[in-house]
Amino acid sequence: FFSIRSMGRPDGKGKGKGGGKGKGGKGKGKGFAPEGPPEYMKTVGEFLHACEDMMVCKLILAPIEVPHFNAGIWTEEKAKIGKVDDVFGQINDVMFTVKTEEGVSASSYKAGDKVHISTEKLLPLWRFTQTQKPGGKGGKGKGKGKGGKGKGKGKGGKGK
């Protein structure tokens, strides 16, 4: 998760038309509110095994949708298990790890147990596999080009 408002140069300049430093929100917030159980969930994967207090799960969604990093992972009863820590594997065999919440033990789950995610925390696979065209400046249309009048040397006037 990132905020477009916080983007810009490190010195605070260049954040849009007004320039200026702006407020930037340095340390003045209450942080993120705890995430409650989602209204709509999908079964995203099944537990394979525990590894260093984390859960290793296999993605079982078809068509393949990839979970967001730090997205909440839940049981079917909407009890929070933890957050997605990493996504890895081949395109047709995707796996992910879940960093468990405090008080939740990864070893307490059995192989094959289903885990769930909010439907809003999934991205389609094509977002990761689509190749970009070289050049990167597509869609601009024809411009007027450079050159034209008024680009000579010197500082105005005829100089009699």
Side-chain angles (χ1 to χ4, degrees):
F1 182 86
F2 67 92
S3 171
I4 294 177
R5 285 180 287 180
S6 66
M7 297 180 91
R9 294 182 4 197
D11 60 1
K13 295 179 181 175
K15 289 186 180 181
K17 267 191 167 177
K21 292 192 178 184
K23 295 203 176 189
K26 295 187 178 186
K28 290 185 180 181
K30 294 182 181 175
F32 292 103
E35 185 181 334
E39 190 174 346
Y40 302 104
M41 294 192 311
K42 275 187 179 181
T43 303
V44 69
E46 59 184 36
F47 177 71
L48 294 176
H49 60 86
C51 179
E52 296 181 10
D53 294 332
M54 291 212 267
M55 298 172 68
V56 179
C57 300
K58 179 176 177 59
L59 191 74
I60 60 170
L61 288 172
I64 295 175
E65 292 179 283
V66 180
H68 287 210
F69 289 104
N70 291 323
I73 298 293
W74 309 81
T75 64
E76 192 172 6
E77 295 80 30
K78 295 191 176 185
K80 189 161 186 182
I81 298 171
K83 292 182 175 187
V84 174
D85 186 62
D86 197 7
V87 179
F88 59 96
Q90 299 174 3
I91 290 174
N92 57 356
D93 189 26
V94 179
M95 292 185 241
F96 60 97
T97 57
V98 178
K99 186 171 183 157
T100 56
E101 291 282 299
E102 200 170 309
V104 177
S105 174
S107 58
S108 66
Y109 289 89
K110 300 184 302 271
D113 284 351
K114 304 285 192 249
V115 294
H116 302 79
I117 193 169
S118 168
T119 54
E120 297 173 355
K121 300 290 184 174
L122 294 167
L123 290 171
L125 183 64
W126 63 262
R127 295 277 302 264
F128 302 94
T129 58
Q130 199 173 45
T131 57
Q132 290 185 334
K133 295 178 183 173
K137 290 188 178 181
K140 294 256 182 184
K142 289 186 177 181
K144 288 187 177 182
K146 292 185 178 180
K149 296 181 179 180
K151 295 219 175 191
K153 292 182 181 179
K155 292 188 178 182
K158 290 191 177 182
K160 281 190 178 180

